[in-house]
Amino acid sequence: MQYISTRGGIEPVSFTEAVMMGLATDGGLLLPRTIPRIGSETFAEWKDLTYQDLAFEIMSRFIDDIPDADLHKLISRSYASFDREEITPLVHQGSLHIMELFHGPTLAFKDVALQFLGNVIEYLLEKKDSVMNILGATSGDTGSAAIYGVRGKERINIFILHPHQRVSEVQEKQMTTVTDTNVFNIAIRGTFDDGQAIVKAIFNDLNFKEEQHLGAINSINWARVLAQVVYYVYACLHISSHENDKATDFAVPTGNFGDIFAGYIAKRMLPEGSIRKLLLATNSNDILTRMVNDGDYSLSQVEATSSPSMDIQSASNFERYLYYLLDEEPDRVSQAMTQLTETGKIDLIDFKDQIQRDFTAEKATEEDVSATITDFYREYRYIIDPHTAVGVHCALKHQTKGIPVCCLATAHPAKFGDTVEKAIGKPLELPVSISEIMEKETRCELMDADKNLIQDFIKKHSKHG
Ligand SMILES: *Cc1c(COP(=O)(O)O)cnc(C)c1O
Protein backbone atom coordinates (compact mmCIF):
# COMPACT_ATOMS: atom_id res chain seq x y z
CA MET A 1 0.00 0.00 0.00
CA GLN A 2 1.26 3.42 -0.92
CA TYR A 3 0.49 6.60 0.99
CA ILE A 4 -0.25 9.98 -0.49
CA SER A 5 -0.61 13.47 0.94
CA THR A 6 -3.99 15.20 1.19
CA ARG A 7 -2.29 18.15 -0.50
CA GLY A 8 -0.75 16.14 -3.31
CA GLY A 9 2.73 17.62 -2.95
CA ILE A 10 4.80 14.49 -2.32
CA GLU A 11 5.71 11.31 -4.19
CA PRO A 12 3.82 8.33 -2.75
CA VAL A 13 5.55 6.73 0.25
CA SER A 14 5.35 3.32 1.93
CA PHE A 15 3.69 2.63 5.29
CA THR A 16 6.95 2.76 7.23
CA GLU A 17 7.94 6.00 5.53
CA ALA A 18 4.52 7.41 6.37
CA VAL A 19 4.99 6.47 10.05
CA MET A 20 8.38 8.14 10.23
CA MET A 21 7.18 11.21 8.33
CA GLY A 22 4.18 11.88 10.59
CA LEU A 23 3.06 15.06 8.86
CA ALA A 24 3.63 14.99 5.08
CA THR A 25 6.47 17.27 4.03
CA ASP A 26 4.04 19.41 2.00
CA GLY A 27 2.09 20.19 5.18
CA GLY A 28 -0.71 17.72 4.36
CA LEU A 29 -1.72 14.50 6.08
CA LEU A 30 -0.92 11.03 4.80
CA LEU A 31 -3.61 8.65 3.60
CA PRO A 32 -3.58 5.24 1.94
CA ARG A 33 -3.94 5.56 -1.83
CA THR A 34 -7.03 3.36 -1.66
CA ILE A 35 -9.13 1.99 1.16
CA PRO A 36 -9.16 -1.82 0.97
CA ARG A 37 -12.63 -3.38 0.77
CA ILE A 38 -13.57 -6.36 2.87
CA GLY A 39 -16.10 -8.74 1.29
CA SER A 40 -18.93 -10.20 3.37
CA GLU A 41 -17.43 -13.67 3.26
CA THR A 42 -14.10 -12.54 4.65
CA PHE A 43 -15.89 -10.40 7.21
CA ALA A 44 -17.92 -13.41 8.36
CA GLU A 45 -14.75 -15.47 8.68
CA TRP A 46 -13.32 -12.94 11.11
CA LYS A 47 -16.01 -13.55 13.74
CA ASP A 48 -13.97 -15.80 15.99
CA LEU A 49 -10.60 -14.12 15.69
CA THR A 50 -8.85 -12.79 18.76
CA TYR A 51 -8.34 -9.03 18.90
CA GLN A 52 -4.69 -9.49 17.96
CA ASP A 53 -5.42 -11.75 14.98
CA LEU A 54 -8.10 -9.38 13.78
CA ALA A 55 -5.65 -6.49 14.13
CA PHE A 56 -3.24 -8.41 11.94
CA GLU A 57 -5.87 -9.05 9.25
CA ILE A 58 -6.80 -5.38 9.12
CA MET A 59 -3.36 -3.83 9.47
CA SER A 60 -1.69 -6.12 6.97
CA ARG A 61 -4.05 -4.78 4.30
CA PHE A 62 -2.52 -1.34 4.85
CA ILE A 63 1.09 -2.40 5.43
CA ASP A 64 3.21 -4.15 2.86
CA ASP A 65 6.70 -3.28 4.04
CA ILE A 66 6.80 -5.11 7.37
CA PRO A 67 7.09 -8.92 7.11
CA ASP A 68 4.00 -10.78 8.45
CA ALA A 69 5.88 -12.49 11.26
CA ASP A 70 7.24 -9.16 12.48
CA LEU A 71 3.85 -7.48 12.30
CA HIS A 72 2.35 -10.31 14.36
CA LYS A 73 5.03 -9.76 16.99
CA LEU A 74 4.52 -6.00 17.06
CA ILE A 75 0.80 -6.43 17.57
CA SER A 76 1.10 -9.00 20.31
CA ARG A 77 3.72 -6.94 22.15
CA SER A 78 1.49 -3.84 21.92
CA TYR A 79 -1.57 -5.42 23.48
CA ALA A 80 0.26 -7.49 26.12
CA SER A 81 0.14 -4.37 28.31
CA PHE A 82 -3.69 -4.41 28.45
CA ASP A 83 -5.37 -5.91 31.48
CA ARG A 84 -8.23 -7.64 29.65
CA GLU A 85 -7.94 -10.59 27.33
CA GLU A 86 -10.50 -9.05 24.95
CA ILE A 87 -8.37 -5.85 24.88
CA THR A 88 -11.46 -3.69 24.21
CA PRO A 89 -14.31 -5.51 25.99
CA LEU A 90 -17.96 -4.75 25.23
CA VAL A 91 -20.54 -4.39 27.95
CA HIS A 92 -24.27 -4.03 27.43
CA GLN A 93 -26.19 -1.43 29.44
CA GLY A 94 -29.83 -0.86 28.67
CA SER A 95 -30.21 -0.14 24.98
CA LEU A 96 -26.51 0.67 24.54
CA HIS A 97 -23.40 -1.33 23.85
CA ILE A 98 -20.36 0.20 25.49
CA MET A 99 -16.90 -0.58 24.26
CA GLU A 100 -14.34 -0.05 27.00
CA LEU A 101 -11.21 1.32 25.38
CA PHE A 102 -9.48 2.10 28.67
CA HIS A 103 -7.81 -1.14 29.67
CA GLY A 104 -4.31 -0.08 28.64
CA PRO A 105 -1.54 1.17 30.94
CA THR A 106 -2.77 4.79 31.26
CA LEU A 107 -6.49 3.94 31.34
CA ALA A 108 -7.44 5.95 28.25
CA PHE A 109 -8.15 4.98 24.67
CA LYS A 110 -4.96 6.62 23.38
CA ASP A 111 -3.06 3.57 24.66
CA VAL A 112 -4.62 1.43 21.90
CA ALA A 113 -2.76 3.47 19.30
CA LEU A 114 0.32 4.64 21.18
CA GLN A 115 1.37 1.22 22.44
CA PHE A 116 1.42 0.11 18.81
CA LEU A 117 3.10 3.25 17.47
CA GLY A 118 5.88 3.05 20.09
CA ASN A 119 6.64 -0.52 19.09
CA VAL A 120 6.56 0.22 15.37
CA ILE A 121 8.96 3.15 15.77
CA GLU A 122 11.34 1.08 17.89
CA TYR A 123 11.26 -1.66 15.24
CA LEU A 124 11.98 0.77 12.40
CA LEU A 125 14.82 2.45 14.31
CA GLU A 126 16.42 -0.94 14.89
CA LYS A 127 16.24 -1.70 11.20
CA LYS A 128 17.86 1.61 10.29
CA ASP A 129 20.29 1.43 13.23
CA SER A 130 19.10 4.88 14.22
CA VAL A 131 17.71 6.73 17.24
CA MET A 132 14.92 9.20 17.93
CA ASN A 133 14.29 11.92 20.48
CA ILE A 134 10.56 12.40 20.80
CA LEU A 135 9.36 15.82 21.82
CA GLY A 136 5.80 16.79 22.68
CA ALA A 137 3.62 19.05 24.78
CA THR A 138 0.60 17.72 26.62
CA SER A 139 -2.37 19.01 28.56
CA GLY A 140 -2.56 15.64 30.29
CA ASP A 141 -3.74 12.48 28.55
CA THR A 142 -1.60 12.22 25.45
CA GLY A 143 1.62 12.77 27.37
CA SER A 144 1.18 9.82 29.66
CA ALA A 145 0.03 7.51 26.85
CA ALA A 146 3.05 8.55 24.75
CA ILE A 147 5.44 8.01 27.67
CA TYR A 148 4.01 4.55 28.31
CA GLY A 149 4.29 3.84 24.60
CA VAL A 150 8.09 4.25 24.58
CA ARG A 151 9.31 3.84 28.19
CA GLY A 152 12.41 1.68 28.44
CA LYS A 153 12.98 1.58 24.67
CA GLU A 154 16.67 1.63 23.91
CA ARG A 155 16.73 3.78 20.81
CA ILE A 156 14.24 6.36 21.98
CA ASN A 157 14.31 9.22 24.48
CA ILE A 158 11.12 11.13 25.15
CA PHE A 159 10.73 14.73 26.36
CA ILE A 160 7.21 15.73 27.40
CA LEU A 161 6.32 19.26 28.47
CA HIS A 162 3.32 19.75 30.72
CA PRO A 163 2.05 22.93 32.37
CA HIS A 164 3.22 22.94 36.01
CA GLN A 165 0.29 22.39 38.43
CA ARG A 166 -2.23 22.65 35.61
CA VAL A 167 -2.80 18.96 34.99
CA SER A 168 -4.80 16.72 37.30
CA GLU A 169 -2.96 14.90 40.07
CA VAL A 170 -3.57 11.52 38.45
CA GLN A 171 -2.31 12.77 35.11
CA GLU A 172 0.79 14.30 36.68
CA LYS A 173 1.58 11.16 38.62
CA GLN A 174 1.02 8.96 35.58
CA MET A 175 3.72 10.89 33.76
CA THR A 176 6.23 11.67 36.46
CA THR A 177 6.30 8.26 38.15
CA VAL A 178 7.76 6.76 35.01
CA THR A 179 11.41 6.90 36.01
CA ASP A 180 12.94 4.93 33.14
CA THR A 181 16.15 6.65 32.10
CA ASN A 182 14.80 7.43 28.62
CA VAL A 183 11.86 9.48 29.94
CA PHE A 184 12.19 13.23 30.63
CA ASN A 185 9.21 15.03 32.10
CA ILE A 186 9.47 18.79 32.00
CA ALA A 187 6.98 20.87 33.98
CA ILE A 188 7.01 24.38 32.59
CA ARG A 189 5.97 27.52 34.44
CA GLY A 190 3.22 28.43 32.00
CA THR A 191 0.19 27.09 30.18
CA PHE A 192 -0.35 24.22 27.77
CA ASP A 193 -0.33 26.75 24.91
CA ASP A 194 3.11 27.99 26.04
CA GLY A 195 4.36 24.41 25.95
CA GLN A 196 2.91 23.81 22.52
CA ALA A 197 4.38 27.04 21.17
CA ILE A 198 7.84 26.03 22.41
CA VAL A 199 7.57 22.59 20.86
CA LYS A 200 6.48 24.12 17.56
CA ALA A 201 9.35 26.61 17.61
CA ILE A 202 11.88 23.86 18.34
CA PHE A 203 10.56 21.72 15.47
CA ASN A 204 10.83 24.74 13.20
CA ASP A 205 14.53 24.98 13.98
CA LEU A 206 15.37 22.55 11.20
CA ASN A 207 19.09 22.25 11.97
CA PHE A 208 18.37 21.40 15.58
CA LYS A 209 15.65 18.99 14.53
CA GLU A 210 17.97 17.06 12.27
CA GLU A 211 20.99 17.18 14.54
CA GLN A 212 18.98 15.86 17.50
CA HIS A 213 16.92 13.30 15.53
CA LEU A 214 13.72 14.90 16.80
CA GLY A 215 10.46 13.11 16.21
CA ALA A 216 6.82 13.60 17.17
CA ILE A 217 4.11 11.09 17.95
CA ASN A 218 1.04 13.24 17.70
CA SER A 219 -2.45 12.39 16.66
CA ILE A 220 -1.89 12.87 12.94
CA ASN A 221 0.35 9.82 12.63
CA TRP A 222 -1.33 7.35 10.29
CA ALA A 223 -0.32 4.37 12.46
CA ARG A 224 -2.52 5.75 15.23
CA VAL A 225 -5.57 5.97 12.99
CA LEU A 226 -4.92 2.47 11.69
CA ALA A 227 -4.65 0.94 15.17
CA GLN A 228 -8.00 2.53 16.01
CA VAL A 229 -9.76 1.08 12.95
CA VAL A 230 -9.38 -2.34 14.54
CA TYR A 231 -11.76 -1.86 17.46
CA TYR A 232 -14.56 -0.59 15.23
CA VAL A 233 -14.39 -3.81 13.27
CA TYR A 234 -14.11 -5.82 16.48
CA ALA A 235 -17.24 -4.11 17.82
CA CYS A 236 -19.18 -4.74 14.57
CA LEU A 237 -18.33 -8.42 14.63
CA HIS A 238 -19.39 -8.85 18.23
CA ILE A 239 -22.47 -6.68 18.11
CA SER A 240 -23.75 -8.23 14.92
CA SER A 241 -23.66 -11.70 16.44
CA HIS A 242 -25.51 -10.29 19.46
CA GLU A 243 -28.04 -8.43 17.30
CA ASN A 244 -28.57 -10.68 14.26
CA ASP A 245 -26.32 -8.94 11.76
CA LYS A 246 -27.84 -5.50 12.09
CA ALA A 247 -25.94 -2.40 10.99
CA THR A 248 -24.47 -0.56 13.96
CA ASP A 249 -24.20 3.11 14.88
CA PHE A 250 -21.16 4.33 16.80
CA ALA A 251 -21.24 7.24 19.25
CA VAL A 252 -17.80 8.78 19.46
CA PRO A 253 -16.65 11.54 21.83
CA THR A 254 -14.55 13.70 19.56
CA GLY A 255 -11.75 16.23 19.87
CA ASN A 256 -9.12 15.97 17.15
CA PHE A 257 -11.35 13.89 14.84
CA GLY A 258 -8.82 11.04 15.14
CA ASP A 259 -10.95 8.37 16.75
CA ILE A 260 -14.04 9.06 14.66
CA PHE A 261 -12.00 9.24 11.46
CA ALA A 262 -10.85 5.68 12.17
CA GLY A 263 -14.56 4.84 12.30
CA TYR A 264 -15.04 6.48 8.91
CA ILE A 265 -12.26 4.33 7.44
CA ALA A 266 -13.83 1.22 9.00
CA LYS A 267 -17.21 2.18 7.54
CA ARG A 268 -15.74 2.43 4.05
CA MET A 269 -13.79 -0.81 4.40
CA LEU A 270 -16.52 -3.08 5.69
CA PRO A 271 -19.39 -4.59 3.70
CA GLU A 272 -22.32 -2.22 3.13
CA GLY A 273 -24.61 -2.13 6.15
CA SER A 274 -21.99 -2.99 8.78
CA ILE A 275 -21.68 0.52 10.15
CA ARG A 276 -24.71 2.74 9.61
CA LYS A 277 -23.95 6.15 11.14
CA LEU A 278 -21.18 7.75 13.10
CA LEU A 279 -22.65 9.82 15.92
CA LEU A 280 -20.18 12.61 16.44
CA ALA A 281 -20.24 13.96 19.99
CA THR A 282 -18.53 17.11 21.22
CA ASN A 283 -18.52 19.09 24.44
CA SER A 284 -19.12 22.83 24.22
CA ASN A 285 -16.10 23.12 21.93
CA ASP A 286 -18.47 22.27 19.15
CA ILE A 287 -16.84 23.17 15.85
CA LEU A 288 -17.32 19.61 14.58
CA THR A 289 -20.97 19.50 15.63
CA ARG A 290 -21.56 22.74 13.76
CA MET A 291 -19.73 21.30 10.77
CA VAL A 292 -22.11 18.31 10.61
CA ASN A 293 -25.32 20.13 11.47
CA ASP A 294 -24.82 23.41 9.61
CA GLY A 295 -21.86 22.94 7.27
CA ASP A 296 -20.08 25.56 9.35
CA TYR A 297 -16.46 24.77 10.14
CA SER A 298 -15.37 27.97 11.87
CA LEU A 299 -12.88 28.31 14.68
CA SER A 300 -13.77 29.95 17.96
CA GLN A 301 -12.20 30.24 21.43
CA VAL A 302 -11.33 27.06 23.31
CA GLU A 303 -13.40 26.65 26.49
CA ALA A 304 -12.28 24.55 29.45
CA THR A 305 -14.71 21.71 30.23
CA SER A 306 -14.90 18.57 32.37
CA SER A 307 -13.79 16.56 29.31
CA PRO A 308 -10.43 18.31 28.79
CA SER A 309 -9.08 15.89 26.18
CA MET A 310 -11.77 17.23 23.84
CA ASP A 311 -11.17 20.92 24.51
CA ILE A 312 -10.02 21.47 20.97
CA GLN A 313 -11.06 23.78 18.17
CA SER A 314 -8.87 23.03 15.19
CA ALA A 315 -9.28 19.26 14.78
CA SER A 316 -5.95 18.06 13.46
CA ASN A 317 -7.34 15.01 11.63
CA PHE A 318 -10.21 16.83 9.95
CA GLU A 319 -8.17 17.44 6.81
CA ARG A 320 -8.22 13.70 6.15
CA TYR A 321 -12.01 13.66 5.99
CA LEU A 322 -11.99 16.84 3.95
CA TYR A 323 -9.94 15.01 1.34
CA TYR A 324 -12.75 12.50 0.79
CA LEU A 325 -15.42 15.16 1.01
CA LEU A 326 -13.66 17.10 -1.79
CA ASP A 327 -13.61 14.09 -4.11
CA GLU A 328 -9.99 13.21 -3.34
CA GLU A 329 -8.75 16.33 -5.12
CA PRO A 330 -5.63 17.65 -3.35
CA ASP A 331 -5.86 21.10 -4.95
CA ARG A 332 -9.26 21.68 -3.43
CA VAL A 333 -8.00 20.48 -0.02
CA SER A 334 -5.06 22.89 -0.19
CA GLN A 335 -7.41 25.73 -1.09
CA ALA A 336 -9.77 24.93 1.79
CA MET A 337 -6.88 24.77 4.25
CA THR A 338 -5.55 28.10 3.03
CA GLN A 339 -9.03 29.53 3.48
CA LEU A 340 -9.06 28.20 7.06
CA THR A 341 -5.71 29.82 7.86
CA GLU A 342 -6.71 33.13 6.32
CA THR A 343 -10.32 33.45 7.46
CA GLY A 344 -10.64 31.01 10.36
CA LYS A 345 -13.38 29.04 8.59
CA ILE A 346 -14.28 26.64 5.82
CA ASP A 347 -17.75 26.93 4.36
CA LEU A 348 -19.19 23.44 3.87
CA ILE A 349 -22.82 24.39 3.53
CA ASP A 350 -23.05 22.77 0.07
CA PHE A 351 -21.75 19.52 1.51
CA LYS A 352 -24.27 19.16 4.31
CA ASP A 353 -26.23 16.32 2.71
CA GLN A 354 -23.11 14.43 1.90
CA ILE A 355 -21.73 14.86 5.43
CA GLN A 356 -25.02 13.80 6.98
CA ARG A 357 -25.01 10.56 5.04
CA ASP A 358 -22.18 9.41 7.31
CA PHE A 359 -22.52 11.55 10.45
CA THR A 360 -25.06 12.78 12.97
CA ALA A 361 -23.80 15.22 15.59
CA GLU A 362 -24.69 16.54 19.01
CA LYS A 363 -22.97 18.66 21.59
CA ALA A 364 -23.19 18.14 25.33
CA THR A 365 -23.15 21.01 27.81
CA GLU A 366 -21.51 20.62 31.21
CA GLU A 367 -24.97 20.02 32.71
CA ASP A 368 -25.69 17.31 30.12
CA VAL A 369 -22.43 15.57 30.99
CA SER A 370 -23.01 15.55 34.68
CA ALA A 371 -26.67 14.51 34.33
CA THR A 372 -25.69 11.67 31.99
CA ILE A 373 -23.13 10.33 34.47
CA THR A 374 -25.69 10.57 37.29
CA ASP A 375 -28.53 8.94 35.34
CA PHE A 376 -26.41 6.18 33.93
CA TYR A 377 -25.14 5.30 37.36
CA ARG A 378 -28.61 5.41 38.88
CA GLU A 379 -30.09 3.23 36.23
CA TYR A 380 -27.36 0.69 35.58
CA ARG A 381 -24.82 1.11 38.43
CA TYR A 382 -22.28 1.65 35.67
CA ILE A 383 -19.89 4.57 36.00
CA ILE A 384 -18.79 6.51 32.93
CA ASP A 385 -16.16 9.23 32.65
CA PRO A 386 -17.03 12.75 31.37
CA HIS A 387 -15.68 12.07 27.84
CA THR A 388 -17.69 8.88 27.53
CA ALA A 389 -20.70 10.77 28.90
CA VAL A 390 -20.51 13.24 26.00
CA GLY A 391 -20.87 10.27 23.64
CA VAL A 392 -23.59 8.57 25.66
CA HIS A 393 -25.60 11.80 25.76
CA CYS A 394 -25.43 11.95 21.98
CA ALA A 395 -26.30 8.25 21.62
CA LEU A 396 -29.40 8.50 23.80
CA LYS A 397 -30.58 11.52 21.88
CA HIS A 398 -30.08 10.12 18.39
CA GLN A 399 -30.67 6.45 18.91
CA THR A 400 -32.88 4.97 16.19
CA LYS A 401 -35.29 2.22 17.19
CA GLY A 402 -33.99 -1.18 16.18
CA ILE A 403 -30.48 0.03 15.40
CA PRO A 404 -27.78 -1.02 17.86
CA VAL A 405 -25.54 1.78 19.13
CA CYS A 406 -22.02 1.27 20.34
CA CYS A 407 -20.67 4.02 22.61
CA LEU A 408 -16.92 4.27 22.80
CA ALA A 409 -15.80 4.60 26.43
CA THR A 410 -12.56 6.51 26.06
CA ALA A 411 -11.32 6.87 29.64
CA HIS A 412 -11.63 5.09 32.96
CA PRO A 413 -13.83 7.18 35.30
CA ALA A 414 -11.13 7.29 37.98
CA LYS A 415 -8.99 9.43 35.68
CA PHE A 416 -11.51 12.22 36.08
CA GLY A 417 -12.54 11.37 39.62
CA ASP A 418 -13.61 14.83 40.81
CA THR A 419 -16.30 15.32 38.18
CA VAL A 420 -17.48 11.73 38.43
CA GLU A 421 -17.68 11.66 42.23
CA LYS A 422 -19.76 14.82 42.22
CA ALA A 423 -22.15 13.33 39.70
CA ILE A 424 -22.65 9.96 41.39
CA GLY A 425 -22.49 11.35 44.92
CA LYS A 426 -19.96 8.92 46.32
CA PRO A 427 -16.24 8.27 46.27
CA LEU A 428 -14.81 6.13 43.50
CA GLU A 429 -12.88 2.98 44.02
CA LEU A 430 -9.47 3.57 42.50
CA PRO A 431 -8.08 0.89 40.23
CA VAL A 432 -4.81 -0.57 41.51
CA SER A 433 -2.81 1.02 38.72
CA ILE A 434 -3.83 4.47 39.98
CA SER A 435 -3.62 3.91 43.75
CA GLU A 436 -0.15 2.43 43.25
CA ILE A 437 1.31 5.42 41.45
CA MET A 438 0.08 7.88 44.06
CA GLU A 439 2.78 6.54 46.38
CA LYS A 440 5.59 6.11 43.88
CA GLU A 441 8.70 8.22 43.54
CA THR A 442 8.57 10.85 40.80
CA ARG A 443 11.05 12.46 38.45
CA CYS A 444 10.40 15.78 36.76
CA GLU A 445 12.32 18.89 35.79
CA LEU A 446 10.70 22.24 36.60
CA MET A 447 11.69 24.90 34.06
CA ASP A 448 10.72 28.33 32.83
CA ALA A 449 8.72 28.39 29.61
CA ASP A 450 11.79 29.41 27.66
CA LYS A 451 12.60 27.81 24.34
CA ASN A 452 16.38 28.18 24.69
CA LEU A 453 16.49 26.61 28.13
CA ILE A 454 14.45 23.67 26.95
CA GLN A 455 16.51 23.26 23.81
CA ASP A 456 19.69 23.14 25.94
CA PHE A 457 18.10 20.56 28.19
CA ILE A 458 17.21 18.36 25.22
CA LYS A 459 20.69 18.72 23.80
CA LYS A 460 22.21 17.62 27.08
CA HIS A 461 19.97 14.57 27.48
CA SER A 462 19.27 13.50 23.93
CA LYS A 463 20.06 10.09 22.55
CA HIS A 464 22.80 10.03 19.95
CA GLY A 465 23.06 7.50 17.13
C1 LIG B 1 -8.07 12.17 23.12
C2 LIG B 1 -9.32 11.78 23.79
C3 LIG B 1 -10.57 11.92 23.14
C4 LIG B 1 -10.73 12.52 21.75
O1 LIG B 1 -10.15 11.74 20.76
P1 LIG B 1 -9.86 12.37 19.30
O2 LIG B 1 -9.18 11.30 18.54
O3 LIG B 1 -8.97 13.56 19.57
O4 LIG B 1 -11.17 12.77 18.75
C5 LIG B 1 -11.71 11.49 23.82
N1 LIG B 1 -11.63 10.99 25.07
C6 LIG B 1 -10.46 10.86 25.73
C7 LIG B 1 -10.45 10.30 27.10
C8 LIG B 1 -9.26 11.23 25.11
O5 LIG B 1 -8.10 11.10 25.77
Side-chain angles (χ1 to χ4, degrees):
M1 177 69 78
Q2 288 191 311
Y3 288 80
I4 51 156
S5 164
T6 49
R7 302 197 192 171
I10 64 162
E11 290 299 315
V13 296
S14 69
F15 171 79
T16 61
E17 287 169 314
V19 170
M20 287 314 213
M21 207 181 263
L23 191 69
T25 47
D26 63 354
L29 302 190
L30 295 158
L31 278 172
R33 192 195 271 283
T34 56
I35 300 174
R37 296 296 312 249
I38 307 303
S40 346
E41 257 171 55
T42 307
F43 187 54
E45 285 167 8
W46 286 354
K47 272 211 157 78
D48 299 319
L49 294 183
T50 61
Y51 188 94
Q52 289 85 339
D53 287 342
L54 179 67
F56 176 82
E57 288 301 323
I58 294 166
M59 289 178 173
S60 59
R61 285 167 165 78
F62 290 89
I63 302 175
D64 54 17
D65 56 347
I66 295 180
D68 286 358
D70 294 352
L71 183 58
H72 268 298
K73 271 189 227 152
L74 287 170
I75 292 169
S76 80
R77 196 176 303 150
S78 302
Y79 298 109
S81 59
F82 281 61
D83 67 9
R84 294 291 290 271
E85 198 185 321
E86 311 96 301
I87 310 304
T88 58
L90 275 161
V91 297
H92 313 286
Q93 303 292 355
S95 61
L96 303 180
H97 300 272
I98 295 190
M99 179 163 246
E100 296 181 343
L101 300 177
F102 52 73
H103 291 282
T106 74
L107 309 181
F109 97 99
K110 289 186 174 66
D111 289 327
V112 178
L114 282 167
Q115 287 289 308
F116 178 67
L117 180 59
N119 285 316
V120 172
I121 290 178
E122 175 186 45
Y123 170 84
L124 297 178
L125 291 173
E126 251 158 45
K127 275 206 157 163
K128 294 199 308 181
D129 189 20
S130 184
V131 297
M132 185 184 275
N133 292 291
I134 291 169
L135 171 63
T138 186
S139 55
D141 264 359
T142 314
S144 52
I147 288 169
Y148 273 84
V150 302
R151 68 183 296 183
K153 298 207 183 301
E154 246 170 54
R155 292 169 179 275
I156 303 174
N157 281 0
I158 183 164
F159 299 84
I160 295 290
L161 277 54
H162 71 263
H164 183 49
Q165 293 179 337
R166 290 179 202 235
V167 298
S168 77
E169 196 187 354
V170 171
Q171 289 175 327
E172 187 193 316
K173 292 277 187 191
Q174 274 188 330
M175 292 190 280
T176 59
T177 53
V178 182
T179 51
D180 299 65
T181 54
N182 72 328
V183 174
F184 297 90
N185 278 291
I186 304 175
I188 57 160
R189 296 188 184 89
T191 62
F192 167 62
D193 289 338
D194 296 332
Q196 201 157 36
I198 291 171
V199 166
K200 237 184 205 166
I202 295 178
F203 274 111
N204 280 335
D205 187 339
L206 296 182
N207 283 331
F208 185 81
K209 182 178 169 207
E210 194 163 326
E211 186 188 287
Q212 300 298 329
H213 299 275
L214 287 194
I217 50 177
N218 44 32
S219 76
I220 49 93
N221 198 296
W222 170 256
R224 284 181 66 175
V225 176
L226 179 57
Q228 291 168 184
V229 171
V230 176
Y231 52 72
Y232 283 91
V233 180
Y234 191 73
C236 283
L237 289 165
H238 289 263
I239 291 171
S240 70
S241 44
H242 201 267
E243 302 248 13
N244 300 325
D245 290 325
K246 279 192 203 134
T248 304
D249 286 352
F250 281 88
V252 189
T254 307
N256 263 320
F257 206 79
D259 196 358
I260 199 161
F261 181 74
Y264 177 77
I265 295 283
K267 185 174 193 295
R268 293 184 53 142
M269 258 181 90
L270 295 180
E272 198 72 34
S274 303
I275 298 179
R276 195 190 69 115
K277 282 253 160 121
L278 298 162
L279 310 180
L280 182 153
T282 62
N283 60 30
S284 48
N285 296 288
D286 64 347
I287 179 170
L288 291 164
T289 297
R290 284 184 278 119
M291 184 273 296
V292 173
N293 291 342
D294 312 312
D296 167 29
Y297 189 82
S298 57
L299 301 173
S300 58
Q301 290 296 328
V302 177
E303 264 175 51
T305 72
S306 58
S307 44
S309 301
M310 292 153 54
D311 290 346
I312 287 165
Q313 280 292 333
S314 195
S316 55
N317 270 290
F318 182 63
E319 182 171 341
R320 287 197 160 109
Y321 175 61
L322 202 56
Y323 175 80
Y324 294 109
L325 201 55
L326 300 176
D327 299 327
E328 308 185 24
E329 290 178 23
D331 290 346
R332 291 168 70 196
V333 177
S334 303
Q335 265 170 23
M337 294 312 289
T338 307
Q339 193 189 5
L340 181 65
T341 314
E342 285 172 0
T343 66
K345 64 182 285 189
I346 307 174
D347 185 356
L348 295 170
I349 192 97
D350 296 338
F351 296 88
K352 240 173 68 177
D353 291 348
Q354 197 180 333
I355 295 168
Q356 291 177 3
R357 254 176 259 151
D358 294 317
F359 297 95
T360 301
E362 184 70 32
K363 89 167 176 188
T365 64
E366 291 298 278
E367 294 76 48
D368 293 332
V369 169
S370 123
T372 305
I373 299 173
T374 308
D375 294 349
F376 218 72
Y377 179 64
R378 236 183 240 149
E379 210 149 324
Y380 307 111
R381 300 279 128 183
Y382 183 83
I383 306 174
I384 53 179
D385 102 288
H387 301 79
T388 306
V390 170
V392 168
H393 171 75
C394 173
L396 292 173
K397 197 140 181 178
H398 292 282
Q399 189 170 32
T400 308
K401 212 172 157 44
I403 305 283
V405 188
C406 179
C407 296
L408 300 187
T410 53
H412 190 288
K415 274 200 100 164
F416 300 92
D418 291 349
T419 307
V420 174
E421 287 181 359
K422 251 184 233 145
I424 65 171
K426 63 162 217 179
L428 277 177
E429 252 172 71
L430 290 187
V432 184
S433 62
I434 288 187
S435 51
E436 257 176 14
I437 56 169
M438 290 316 204
E439 311 300 326
K440 271 196 192 155
E441 97 180 89
T442 60
R443 195 158 65 94
C444 183
E445 202 73 30
L446 178 61
M447 296 177 73
D448 283 337
D450 176 326
K451 178 193 164 224
N452 292 329
L453 286 180
I454 287 161
Q455 226 163 343
D456 288 345
F457 182 85
I458 294 172
K459 207 163 165 176
K460 197 162 147 211
H461 298 283
S462 64
K463 190 140 280 188
H464 293 280

